[in-house]
Amino acid sequence: MPTPLPDSRISPRFAGLMTFGRYPRLEDTGGPIDWAIYGIPYDTGVTYRPGTRFGPRAIREASQYLKRYSIVHRLDLCDALTMADAGDAPVHPYHPKQTLDAACGFALSLGSDETRTLALGGDHSTAYSNIKAAWTRQGKPSGGLPLLHFDSHLDTVDSVWGEKYGHASPFIRLIEEGVVDPRRMLSVGIKGPLTNGDDLKYAEEHGVAILTHDEWIETGDQPIVDFVRRLEGEAAYCTFDIDCVDPVFAPGTGTPAVGGFTSHEALRLIRAMKGVNLVGADVVEVLPDRDVMGNTALLAAHIAFELLCLDALRRRDG
Amino acid sequence: MPTPLPDSRISPRFAGLMTFGRYPRLEDTGGPIDWAIYGIPYDTGVTYRPGTRFGPRAIREASQYLKRYSIVHRLDLCDALTMADAGDAPVHPYHPKQTLDAACGFALSLGSDETRTLALGGDHSTAYSNIKAAWTRQGKPSGGLPLLHFDSHLDTVDSVWGEKYGHASPFIRLIEEGVVDPRRMLSVGIKGPLTNGDDLKYAEEHGVAILTHDEWIETGDQPIVDFVRRLEGEAAYCTFDIDCVDPVFAPGTGTPAVGGFTSHEALRLIRAMKGVNLVGADVVEVLPDRDVMGNTALLAAHIAFELLCLDALRRRDG
Amino acid sequence: MPTPLPDSRISPRFAGLMTFGRYPRLEDTGGPIDWAIYGIPYDTGVTYRPGTRFGPRAIREASQYLKRYSIVHRLDLCDALTMADAGDAPVHPYHPKQTLDAACGFALSLGSDETRTLALGGDHSTAYSNIKAAWTRQGKPSGGLPLLHFDSHLDTVDSVWGEKYGHASPFIRLIEEGVVDPRRMLSVGIKGPLTNGDDLKYAEEHGVAILTHDEWIETGDQPIVDFVRRLEGEAAYCTFDIDCVDPVFAPGTGTPAVGGFTSHEALRLIRAMKGVNLVGADVVEVLPDRDVMGNTALLAAHIAFELLCLDALRRRDG
Amino acid sequence: MPTPLPDSRISPRFAGLMTFGRYPRLEDTGGPIDWAIYGIPYDTGVTYRPGTRFGPRAIREASQYLKRYSIVHRLDLCDALTMADAGDAPVHPYHPKQTLDAACGFALSLGSDETRTLALGGDHSTAYSNIKAAWTRQGKPSGGLPLLHFDSHLDTVDSVWGEKYGHASPFIRLIEEGVVDPRRMLSVGIKGPLTNGDDLKYAEEHGVAILTHDEWIETGDQPIVDFVRRLEGEAAYCTFDIDCVDPVFAPGTGTPAVGGFTSHEALRLIRAMKGVNLVGADVVEVLPDRDVMGNTALLAAHIAFELLCLDALRRRDG
Amino acid sequence: MPTPLPDSRISPRFAGLMTFGRYPRLEDTGGPIDWAIYGIPYDTGVTYRPGTRFGPRAIREASQYLKRYSIVHRLDLCDALTMADAGDAPVHPYHPKQTLDAACGFALSLGSDETRTLALGGDHSTAYSNIKAAWTRQGKPSGGLPLLHFDSHLDTVDSVWGEKYGHASPFIRLIEEGVVDPRRMLSVGIKGPLTNGDDLKYAEEHGVAILTHDEWIETGDQPIVDFVRRLEGEAAYCTFDIDCVDPVFAPGTGTPAVGGFTSHEALRLIRAMKGVNLVGADVVEVLPDRDVMGNTALLAAHIAFELLCLDALRRRDG
Amino acid sequence: MPTPLPDSRISPRFAGLMTFGRYPRLEDTGGPIDWAIYGIPYDTGVTYRPGTRFGPRAIREASQYLKRYSIVHRLDLCDALTMADAGDAPVHPYHPKQTLDAACGFALSLGSDETRTLALGGDHSTAYSNIKAAWTRQGKPSGGLPLLHFDSHLDTVDSVWGEKYGHASPFIRLIEEGVVDPRRMLSVGIKGPLTNGDDLKYAEEHGVAILTHDEWIETGDQPIVDFVRRLEGEAAYCTFDIDCVDPVFAPGTGTPAVGGFTSHEALRLIRAMKGVNLVGADVVEVLPDRDVMGNTALLAAHIAFELLCLDALRRRDG
């Protein structure tokens, strides 16, 4: 069933109440939904600059100019998938774990069993919620989900200032809980000086595959292609921290690391996952107050679009 | 019937899909609606800088932080009025008159007979639509509606570059069509050099009362109070061009005129109309691309709030 | 003993490591210090937009252009008082109460018994720390300290999302603990719609004197003068929330309320307290990411300057 | 005859009345002019964000820092060509076709028969005017002019909202009128999702060669080199829509498409046309209100410089 | 003879090569000129933030939206005066005195004996040049010219870092040279902390009348009216440093002082001089890189307009 | 001896008085210092846009987020080198040569004989000071120091407007004085149109090796690697003008040249010098007023970090 859009002869892209991509609100739809897109407006998890609580709103606004037909894939996304905007998850700004649990519960409540969820952050701690929801929907496979992780940072710090559920720690928690399988986790784009080497040591010791940005300069996207091929269509998750993109291309983020991907390289990273069976995804760490001219939010909307295309292509091309 | 708002314990002001003031969408309501708020995202009417087509969207975003209880009026607006966001009127960006007629028709289609409409511009040509709709709802009184007009410019230029429905001309058109009564029209805040004196001559010859900004410095709001008192409760309309506010307080506008009202003075201008029986209103000329930090849109949202309070006060205090 | 400044023939105002006002670091001074200025870089307490953790840094930067001789008071502040910058208090970003206690302890550790402390926020919850420190230094007078409070908001909300030490609640906590005397508390500049009337009800029931912005338009600064006169030189505290200033004059803040004081009016509010015996003060809620051109931080630095002048004038003029 | 410039010992680049590149005004010159540069300050043709009417002004301002000697070409452009700034074409903001005809007439009126015209937009609909003028000056060759087209969009949409001369349609109109030869038209840099595939279908069916941005990633500039070689010196036209450049490099534009050329790649695209016999050119879609720090306008000025160098190189090197 | 303007039916305000107010270039005029407006793009004289070398360019750009008919004065300025833009004076950025002498010579070279000159700065040191030129044109009256001086600073510092011709010193130099009469000099708007009291002492000892901003709050414009009346039509000069305006209204300046005039108050300050016989004037210290949304330059253009109106009113009303 | 940093459990990166990298102030250290980092807040040397006097302050602020452990080099810089912030050199804003001599003297006064100095500009004329200081510390080797020079401009212009010590001239002066050896000088990244070819001619005639940006596109970093290898560990100096970086990546600079290095390419340029024996370095031309979101200053801090890493690697790896 296609996703209906407003009639642009009456309501141009600069008009109308905003939902992601101008897709219908979940509450206005009937029948099964392939993907529910929703926000987690929460940023208490940060270690430096806050403000990503305004991220979902900014991505929705930028997505008004997101068109439906991909010239690269020769694909009309809205013909291929039934999508809806589910609004924002409940949050408890003073309480990290309580927020993450509430957001996870919200994700599990959306649509039907077949519905997959795409979360818009919020700081990276919110990935915990949506990944756990996807893993739960898959029947909590032992060993955990394979994870494609794009980021400047490893996010495997045990705790910061006594808090174990902050944005430096989601993957150490998910690995500990068996939600993510560290031996089938690929972290792409890691770069920039670290506070110390502890997070690196943890990731390496647990078998996380790391492709630093400097290594990627040499290899290109091939390690991603190979990683996906090895998954052989198994259910997997993709988490995309916008700060893996160069802070000139994505200034709207809280912990910028000099010298990352361009916007175009970022789009191609996603396309390199072609064939993957995504059962959930997120785009996080968009901080609108630092987003000069909205390029970060606009890129985030297109990253989400390409992630959704991956699923549409899998359904079309097998 | 009160206007329901989201539960802020779950969905803080930075969360959720956006409607004006977080009020319900018109389509989600049942029963009578006192006020329908809607946008007219159109700016082809301008003579200088375009961009107000993004005005309704910006005002909605700013209005997320619009609270409900007025400490000045000791009034809970959402308890007093049933309000809803009706989305945006259809527009035809290449065709001025066609757009204005479509927007007028849209306004007339909202709610029931008792519903009043508050339009968010858009350039000032869009006032033509909403005023005509209000006049039509009132049964097209001969002589036309009384008009309270806040602006830096008279907007009584006959035509610009051959176009008679641009943003310099709404009031000459409405006077010609008998929709507005020029002898019961008060233009407040006029200022800045003019291209020539023709618009001034037209307004003076047709009996429009003009209170220039420099005159207001001397008189204060008393002429507004007097004007309203003379109306004796008769149905009237208020059009508020944000460029009457100083361009430092409202930089987001297309034809700025140096040296106008402060934000606080603007709020008090509206409150000076206490007792007026508003049957329609608009706030126009918000141009987000020039709106440093969103102060213009935030002020516009509060101007709309105060306009709605006027009607709530009339119902409460008689 | 005067406060030494760098030799501007060698190090112009745009040169050198930055301390508040180019005053010496506390650790570089010997002998008694009249005032220790320090930051509390903390913003977890907010209910809307975060970011004031960068406030102390921004105010210090703006203060590089803060000169020493007041033409209004005919006073050389650096000749009159011995001042030093004590750096920033320790903070625990995930833990409100723990941060407030640590900051209070830090304030109490600065200088000697006679030293008074001026805190630079940080969100308004940090006022709790510095007020409590001032009260403690005064021997914990029963009944609590008199408080001069400049703000758009009453900050007497009991709790938000389950947290009792957020920035909407400092005064309810300080009143409960007997640190502030509500019957000798004056809240100036209150304005803007409220979420509901509960905070207003609390304040009124406990005897807090409220001078809303609209009332101040009528009275001017006289109620402040009268309030100070009634104190008869008793030790008092002043807390200044920059959001009482109009968001056009002070855009760099997280919960802007349309239509407040101008910068000049703000300076005069402080001067109206002439004669007060300030034993502590704070300037809070400066949010640099929203501070267009730095006017908010520059104003905050001058507010701090005027607060310090109050004490210098008291010592000079008795 | 060289192009005279102001004496920079007296009038530095930040001084003096502005013309493009500090070249003389056309009215101040005598004798033949090789290239007349002029603006078309018009943006009614847009389908999304307006504002390019301010483009010519911004490009002129940026061009004050445009130096004359190319280190890449070892060429002094002002020694090689006689150039002048002809000011701006007349425009009729409410009337698309009337504006385009007036601008075309203006272009034809400049200089003598040998004069070539470089237009600064304005939205892309204005290319219609300058291409038609160049074709007319060439004696209206049947079959139309070859066209080198740099853009994110194909601009072969039949009409939008009932208007056939908007900025999505210039090439369908020029092809219909026989001004441009679609079989000798190369569109470079096409990218981003499309509203639907109709424009793509039209272009492909009429023989337009399309080099999408993703294809260019693989081929580099060689297809451009080959295209020019096949022209064998025949008169051709180049139209450059700044939105083919990545919106991070050229934020000042109205319909940004994520992931395009860098500034340096854009300069090299132009240089890849070496040997082409340009009889006209344009740089369009510069929207100053979105142009952070002026990088878009600065790039547009350098694109124009490189286009002019192409003609100088052809004259020098044959 | 009126000042001709471009036909706005052909060339809207956003079109065409820019001169001040769209007035003709001096070199394009014949016959006598009442006022020559020119820039002095020079900022080496500053003691804090440089950048006013771009001031004349920014004021010209802002002045494109300067209309001709004053509704306050009921005066068409372009009918009343013959005005022209003379471009920019030569500058020598590394050499203060050499620049000031060259600019003075340039001013003296413009038009005929009757021509008066309005200079657009540049930093305040450039006032030295234009005042000296005006004094020379008046036959170097012994005792010097009366001076109306609007500023936050006294600018009577003897020297800074060994330089006697910087922007803190123009009036001490002009008084020493007998060009300005300190006993007929009025400094309006002085405010903000001073480095020390030496400049204040000099001004007071030499008989300069000082109206601080705080004093003006009490007196209003009456002292200006009185000052002008006492001149009895004698030739006088007005120098307007934009930093006397509040830095929120005029952020684009290099030494901002918190808490000054609003834009509207600034316009009224000029109008308060009605009756004055201005033989020269300047508007200085506009720094575009800090000018959020161009409000500072727009105000400067209107200040210049009002200064010119003063002369037109004197000629009309005697 | 390692470089001590603040305890981040108490003082997060957004807290505390700022020094470069949060390293100790030189005056707070004892024992030998490997590198003293200091600023030269001076910009009188510019030929176009001033403002780099605020550069050192901005780089220090950006460096608060500079972490210590390089994942690329697997190196903890603070363990490897003893570093300190020495504050800013004295400057004389009106006097170029006097400033340069004072800054050179200041550099020579820092630390002990073994201390090396890293200067933060300021305009490029300040490189003269630090290079001369490094050469002096090396015993003034005849023939001069080898120089690695990254820049868009050659900076070998003899003089501008009569000044021989401006920012277009440092290398012609240093070559004349025998401080730099032009036959062992490599200028990397030269690009953009030149005013004329004179500076190019001088550099080529004196044997300076030039790698233009366009040549670098073809060669990559290999010429830098080769250049360093030929030095065989001899003492050398590196001067880095941030304007060699593309103005989109480094907008905060005064003479931007379209189309340069990305941030990541810039970091790799530095790393290509691995093995070099740096006895001094500088990063210049950071102009904060044009630095959108601080990316330029953030990059400059990381360039400095990589320069320091070069020395740490040499010590570790020989």
Side-chain angles (χ1 to χ4, degrees), chain D residues 192-236:
Chain D
L194 307 176
T195 299
N196 57 41
D198 290 353
D199 46 351
L200 180 58
K201 192 176 168 199
Y202 179 91
E204 288 180 340
E205 287 180 355
H206 285 75
V208 176
I210 297 173
L211 184 66
T212 68
H213 188 263
D214 276 88
E215 291 165 348
W216 174 87
I217 292 285
E218 307 302 326
T219 65
D221 297 338
Q222 193 58 41
I224 301 168
V225 173
D226 295 343
F227 183 90
V228 167
R229 187 174 301 126
R230 282 195 297 274
L231 292 181
E232 296 180 343
E234 191 179 343

Side-chain angles (χ1 to χ4, degrees), chain B residues 143-144 146 175 180-186 205-209 227 230:
Chain B
I175 290 169
V180 162
D181 179 357
R183 287 168 311 283
R184 291 188 300 169
M185 172 173 170
L186 174 63
E205 288 180 357
H206 286 74
V208 175
F227 184 91
R230 282 194 296 274

Side-chain angles (χ1 to χ4, degrees), chain D residues 13 67-71, chain F residues 152-154 190-200:
Chain D
R13 294 184 177 283
K67 294 172 181 172
R68 62 193 291 166
Y69 183 87
S70 167
I71 194 170
Chain F
S152 280
H153 311 93
L154 291 160
I190 307 303
K191 68 176 187 292
L194 308 176
T195 299
N196 57 43
D198 289 353
D199 46 350
L200 179 58

Side-chain angles (χ1 to χ4, degrees), chain C residues 10 12-18 25 28 41 53-54 57 60-61 64 85 88 90-91, chain F residues 10 12-18 25 28 41 53-54 57 60-61 64 85 88 90-91:
Chain C
I10 293 174
R13 294 185 177 283
F14 45 81
L17 299 178
M18 295 192 291
R25 298 193 302 183
D28 293 341
R53 60 180 70 182
F54 292 98
R57 184 173 291 176
R60 278 195 189 91
E61 182 173 355
Q64 302 307 296
D85 187 328
D88 285 347
V91 295
Chain F
I10 293 174
R13 293 185 176 283
F14 45 80
L17 299 180
M18 296 193 290
R25 298 201 304 185
D28 293 343
R53 62 181 69 183
F54 291 98
R57 183 174 292 177
R60 278 195 189 92
E61 182 173 354
Q64 302 308 295
D85 188 327
D88 286 345
V91 295

